[in-house]
Amino acid sequence: MKRWGDLSQDAADHLTAGSVLDHAEMAVVVTDRFSNVLYWNPFAERLFGRPGLPSGKESLLSLGIMEKDHPLAVELAKHVLRGGVWEGTFDVVRGDGTMIYVRAQAVPLRHQSGSVTGIVITAREAMRSNEREKDRFGLLERIGERLAGSLYVEETLNRVAEMLVPQFADHCFIELVESDRLVRKVSTHVNGWSPPPDTWRPVGAEIRYPAGHYADTALRRQETILVEDFSQVSYPSPSEGSARICGEIGMTSAIVAPLCARGETLGLMYLGMSNLTDRRSPHYDAFDRDFVGAIATRVALAVDNALLFEEERHTAESFQKHLLPRELPSLDGLEIAVRYYPAAPLASHGQGIQTQVGGDWYDVIPLSAGRVGIVIGDVEGRGAKAAAVMGQLRAALRAFAQDDKPPADILARLDEWTRIVAAPERDDFGADITNPPIVTCQYLVYDAWSRQLSFANAGHAPPLLIVDGNVAELDITEVGQPLGVRAKGMHADLVYKEETRVLPPGATLLLYTDGLVDRRPPRDSEGPSLSDDETLQILCDKVAKISTEPVERIADVATIAVPGEIDDDMAILVVRSVGAELEFEEQTFPAQPIMVSEARRMASEAFESWQVPEERAELACLLVSEVVTNVVLHAASASIPRRELVLDGPPLPFDESWDVPGFEEEIAGDKEFTLRLRRGKESIWVEVFDQDLRLPRIRSAGENDEGGRGLYLVDQLANRWGSRPTREGKAVWFEIPIGGR
């Protein structure tokens, strides 16, 4: 008898390296020094799902290693070629598109001389290997890394299902608790299989497990429940359809783990195996139960973080939403679209309201006689402090705008207010070291009837002007300093200047904050970052292609025009001057009592031609009479400017000195007023201009007073009314709705 190990020649022929590796239940892959695959055994073909013999031209990466693990594969090659041994876990996409986790060990392939000529890699599926205890910690770490990359509940749950099906389960259900209800969020199955209708409940449905069901037990006990073999036990079914489909697909085993975090049960994770796949072991065991319990702990923490983040994000967005205009007014002669996007969260400073809200804002303010104030602004920095400053500035600017003063004056007042809102700070010696927030802002006033645009700029980027398909920055000669940085002693008139342009019919303005063009480069970008001029040109080119489309479409395209990820919060305001001319009438009259009836007749004829309802027209004519009468009376009582009187001939007696022919008419003719009527879609506006600098105010007329009630009637009967200073004097205006009060 031969010694142990002595083999016949026939037996020795069957124990060649190739025949042994053909029967090995482990993947064996051999590469050369350049990571080109020279050999793999049949088990490697099945594991990686890559049939066919290697030709020596396939790279190690051609085995399906996911792109994010390519640096790991490079590290493997470098380490082993230096003579070391490497061990780790890869995410691998098989030839059929499914994903598995592969535990690999790599050792150097040495020549007889001792030099390293290649790499020998042994690999196995991580979750179903014989060394599960050894693989467990590495795999849990990989799962934790993938879950940590998501801040959104839906994305987190989908990542969980993607990791577990089909590697560890044929079916994965995840349900979350919402208002004391269990709602299904994920229903993922192997090989794209979908449960027929009226069997398992779909995503979004409420799930109710009957008493005695293993899932109900997992919820009540807050522990992971294993059903090792359904053929050996019986449980009540949630529904007849559920029991039927379990029988049809041959459910073999299941594990249900509660998702618990911070002492609360967030939901359930259900994993099941069936006869839909041909597995070597179609049943879970106690080790699998403990392993799924560990996974569920990590999933619960990831879901809890995602829920907290979404709650804070909702808080941040609600906070910002209530600081910005809730809805835009309907304005004559303008089409308006707005967009606001919060800042991207900063991992280094928290993931919620602390970094997502910002100081960007826009506003559209109705002014007198159909004019409109347009605002775009940006408070430096981000967070609740920047948003709070922005809210105060927006409220202050709306209040200042009601005075109807020129844009430069409005910015000057806002600059002073910016210094006031800064929290007082003092150094150790008691000196004031308060630093006002730095704010860029542009305020524009647009008159749709004259198409005149007046504006002043406080260090903000010029808006884009879109005319006849051409897109360019609005020509701004005077760009003042940002609000809050003006040096002491420098008058605001020297910093903020008003400019005027006339917009052509159909012209569009695109106002934006720097978050639109200052983007983080895309993650997969390898080239240099774009300059400011390049990003602006990209924006202009994209907008020019859709310049004739509606303003909503322009806002959408502008939002995504510049490549990269949104880093700062972003506000966009698109306004378009309509092509149609708006109706108006205007006439100048001498400031004489007889002209009151002429002004009223002019208003009556204009309202009739505009088809204003008779009741509304009569009310408007009444108020025209009151305002014009008030202007004429004050013009008569105003002091007459002193002038030198030169007479030809001998001096006249005193009682006849004021009867100089033409003198009275000349004095009266110096005073005049202008009546301007405007018709909008829903209202008519009346403006009366004169040269008197005194602004009107409502008087309290006594019982026997003949006057003092004109402005009181205007205040009671008009929808809105007011006055504003002009270069020549003042304007008194009121608004009457056409369709009713």
Side-chain angles (χ1 to χ4, degrees):
M1 186 173 181
K2 295 183 179 180
R3 293 180 293 107
W4 180 265
D6 290 342
L7 301 174
S8 65
Q9 184 63 38
D10 183 61
D13 292 340
H14 287 83
L15 288 178
T16 61
S19 62
V20 171
L21 293 178
D22 286 348
H23 293 86
E25 288 293 314
M26 177 178 287
V28 179
V29 180
V30 181
T31 74
D32 61 15
R33 291 183 57 85
F34 304 102
S35 297
N36 296 317
V37 178
L38 303 177
Y39 169 84
W40 63 53
N41 67 342
F43 190 87
E45 293 185 16
R46 297 195 300 272
L47 177 65
F48 295 106
R50 311 280 172 173
L53 295 175
S55 62
K57 297 181 179 180
E58 292 86 355
S59 168
L60 178 62
L61 302 178
S62 66
L63 294 178
I65 298 175
M66 294 185 68
E67 184 176 354
K68 67 183 184 65
D69 283 343
H70 286 183
L72 204 60
V74 174
E75 178 189 343
L76 176 156
K78 290 181 179 179
H79 183 73
V80 175
L81 289 175
R82 288 195 296 263
V85 176
W86 187 94
E87 187 171 354
T89 305
F90 289 105
D91 292 0
V92 173
V93 178
R94 293 162 50 88
D96 59 2
T98 58
M99 193 193 78
I100 61 172
Y101 295 94
V102 173
R103 186 72 176 177
Q105 185 183 57
V107 298
L109 177 66
R110 295 185 182 273
H111 189 264
Q112 293 179 354
S113 64
S115 62
V116 178
T117 60
I119 302 172
V120 179
I121 301 172
T122 57
R124 59 192 179 274
E125 187 177 353
M127 286 189 177
R128 311 305 302 173
S129 68
N130 294 326
E131 300 183 23
R132 294 183 295 175
E133 186 68 29
K134 184 178 180 181
D135 293 338
R136 175 178 181 178
F137 299 104
L139 188 56
L140 283 177
E141 182 180 356
R142 303 281 291 179
I143 291 175
E145 288 175 357
R146 298 200 67 193
L147 290 178
S150 173
L151 288 173
Y152 300 93
V153 174
E154 183 178 350
E155 181 181 355
T156 299
L157 299 181
N158 287 331
R159 286 191 178 190
V160 172
E162 178 185 288
M163 288 186 293
L164 297 176
V165 177
Q167 173 125 2
F168 193 71
D170 297 333
H171 312 278
C172 176
F173 299 104
I174 300 179
E175 288 111 25
L176 296 183
V177 177
E178 293 183 357
S179 304
D180 298 328
R181 299 186 311 140
L182 200 61
V183 179
R184 179 155 292 168
K185 296 296 184 180
V186 170
S187 177
T188 302
H189 308 276
V190 71
N191 297 330
W193 180 84
S194 298
D198 301 324
T199 53
W200 285 331
R201 302 299 300 277
V203 172
E206 180 181 359
I207 306 299
R208 295 182 180 179
Y209 292 108
H213 192 276
Y214 50 93
D216 179 66
T217 304
L219 273 177
R220 287 187 293 102
R221 296 182 182 177
Q222 291 192 353
E223 66 180 45
T224 304
I225 301 298
L226 165 67
V227 181
E228 190 168 347
D229 191 347
F230 277 111
S231 64
Q232 304 298 322
V233 293
S234 177
Y235 293 97
S237 179
S239 65
E240 294 182 5
S242 176
R244 185 177 69 255
I245 194 63
C246 287
E248 291 178 1
I249 64 176
M251 287 290 292
T252 57
S253 188
I255 299 177
V256 182
L259 303 178
C260 301
R262 294 184 294 122
E264 296 183 6
T265 301
L266 305 179
L268 277 178
M269 182 173 68
Y270 181 110
L271 302 177
M273 288 197 292
S274 68
N275 293 330
L276 291 178
T277 57
D278 182 16
R279 297 180 184 270
R280 183 171 51 183
S281 177
H283 300 280
Y284 294 120
D285 57 19
F287 177 83
D288 296 322
R289 177 195 60 201
D290 296 340
F291 181 65
V292 171
I295 293 177
T297 300
R298 285 158 174 76
V299 171
L301 290 175
V303 170
D304 187 49
N305 287 335
L307 289 172
L308 290 174
F309 170 72
E310 290 194 357
E311 182 179 350
E312 286 203 7
R313 183 176 179 85
H314 176 72
T315 302
E317 291 179 347
S318 298
F319 179 47
Q320 191 84 40
K321 179 180 178 181
H322 285 81
L323 289 176
L324 294 172
R326 296 192 180 183
E327 59 182 26
L328 297 177
S330 177
L331 300 168
D332 291 299
L334 278 181
E335 298 174 3
I336 303 175
V338 295
R339 295 290 185 274
Y340 177 82
Y341 293 91
L346 289 179
S348 59
H349 295 84
Q351 298 287 2
I353 191 172
Q354 295 86 357
T355 60
Q356 285 185 271
V357 295
D360 291 11
W361 92 94
Y362 60 82
D363 209 348
V364 178
I365 309 170
L367 301 177
S368 63
R371 295 153 65 248
V372 57
I374 302 169
V375 186
I376 193 79
D378 184 0
V379 179
E380 184 184 44
R382 63 163 68 182
K385 180 179 179 180
V389 171
M390 177 270 287
Q392 295 181 70
L393 291 178
R394 175 176 174 260
L397 195 151
R398 289 188 70 92
F400 298 156
Q402 299 308 314
D403 290 342
D404 271 328
K405 289 189 175 180
D409 293 351
I410 299 296
L411 288 187
R413 294 189 63 185
L414 196 64
D415 176 71
E416 293 295 337
W417 183 258
T418 303
R419 301 170 187 274
I420 295 174
V421 299
E425 297 180 25
R426 298 187 180 278
D427 61 13
D428 296 338
F429 303 99
D432 186 3
I433 57 171
T434 304
N435 293 317
I438 298 177
V439 184
T440 64
C441 180
Q442 184 156 32
Y443 179 60
L444 311 90
V445 175
Y446 180 66
D447 188 333
W449 280 263
S450 65
R451 301 190 185 276
Q452 181 171 294
L453 181 73
S454 303
F455 57 88
N457 190 298
H460 200 82
L464 298 183
L465 177 61
I466 308 169
V467 180
D468 297 332
N470 297 317
V471 182
E473 288 187 330
L474 181 67
D475 179 26
I476 298 180
T477 305
E478 301 288 345
V479 178
Q481 296 176 352
L483 305 175
V485 301
R486 176 167 55 91
K488 291 184 177 180
M490 179 177 289
H491 197 274
D493 290 346
L494 302 176
V495 180
Y496 306 114
K497 303 290 186 179
E498 180 180 354
E499 299 182 54
T500 303
R501 304 284 186 276
V502 176
L503 294 185
T508 303
L509 284 174
L510 171 60
L511 297 91
Y512 61 91
T513 57
D514 55 6
L516 176 63
V517 291
D518 293 344
R519 303 289 184 99
R520 283 195 302 239
R523 296 178 183 177
D524 56 352
S525 175
E526 298 180 355
S529 300
L530 298 174
S531 66
D532 294 343
D533 292 339
E534 289 173 332
T535 56
L536 181 60
Q537 189 59 49
I538 291 174
L539 176 62
C540 292
D541 293 342
K542 296 280 183 71
V543 170
K545 294 178 181 178
I546 47 92
S547 60
T548 59
E549 298 190 25
V551 291
E552 294 288 344
R553 171 67 175 158
I554 294 177
D556 290 335
V557 170
T559 300
I560 59 175
V562 179
E565 300 179 7
I566 295 176
D567 189 31
D568 195 4
D569 57 334
M570 175 177 65
I572 298 177
L573 177 61
V574 183
V575 293
R576 173 176 290 167
S577 171
V578 299
E581 297 293 337
L582 301 180
E583 297 177 299
F584 76 98
E585 294 286 345
E586 182 176 322
Q587 187 173 340
T588 300
F589 301 91
Q592 300 175 2
I594 195 173
M595 291 294 108
V596 174
S597 60
E598 292 296 325
R600 179 166 181 153
R601 180 163 52 249
M602 169 196 161
S604 178
E605 293 174 353
F607 297 152
E608 183 179 357
S609 66
W610 293 343
Q611 298 181 348
V612 177
E614 183 178 354
E615 179 184 356
R616 300 284 92 191
E618 289 182 356
L619 174 60
C621 288
L622 170 64
L623 299 187
V624 166
S625 297
E626 295 296 335
V627 173
V628 170
T629 299
N630 191 67
V631 167
V632 170
L633 289 177
H634 282 83
S637 62
S639 60
I640 300 175
R642 289 184 296 176
R643 53 185 295 171
E644 183 178 356
L645 180 62
V646 179
L647 299 177
D648 293 332
L652 295 176
F654 177 79
D655 56 348
E656 297 179 0
S657 60
W658 296 104
D659 294 331
V660 180
F663 179 73
E664 183 178 354
E665 289 78 3
E666 184 179 356
I667 294 298
D670 272 344
K671 301 293 183 179
E672 58 184 16
F673 67 88
T674 299
L675 176 62
R676 179 187 294 168
L677 311 173
R678 294 180 168 186
R679 189 192 195 285
K681 181 179 180 181
E682 299 178 354
S683 300
I684 52 177
W685 284 274
V686 175
E687 291 179 285
V688 180
F689 299 84
D690 68 346
Q691 294 81 37
D692 191 353
L693 298 177
R694 296 172 297 176
L695 298 180
R697 58 184 179 86
I698 299 177
R699 292 169 50 195
S700 298
E703 241 181 75
N704 300 319
D705 290 345
E706 295 184 3
R709 297 179 179 84
L711 289 182
Y712 177 79
L713 286 176
V714 174
D715 182 64
Q716 294 296 310
L717 300 179
N719 193 32
R720 291 193 307 153
W721 80 279
S723 61
R724 69 174 189 274
T726 64
R727 293 180 179 178
E728 295 79 17
K730 69 173 182 298
V732 181
W733 61 273
F734 63 85
E735 175 188 355
I736 298 292
I738 295 176
R741 192 178 183 87

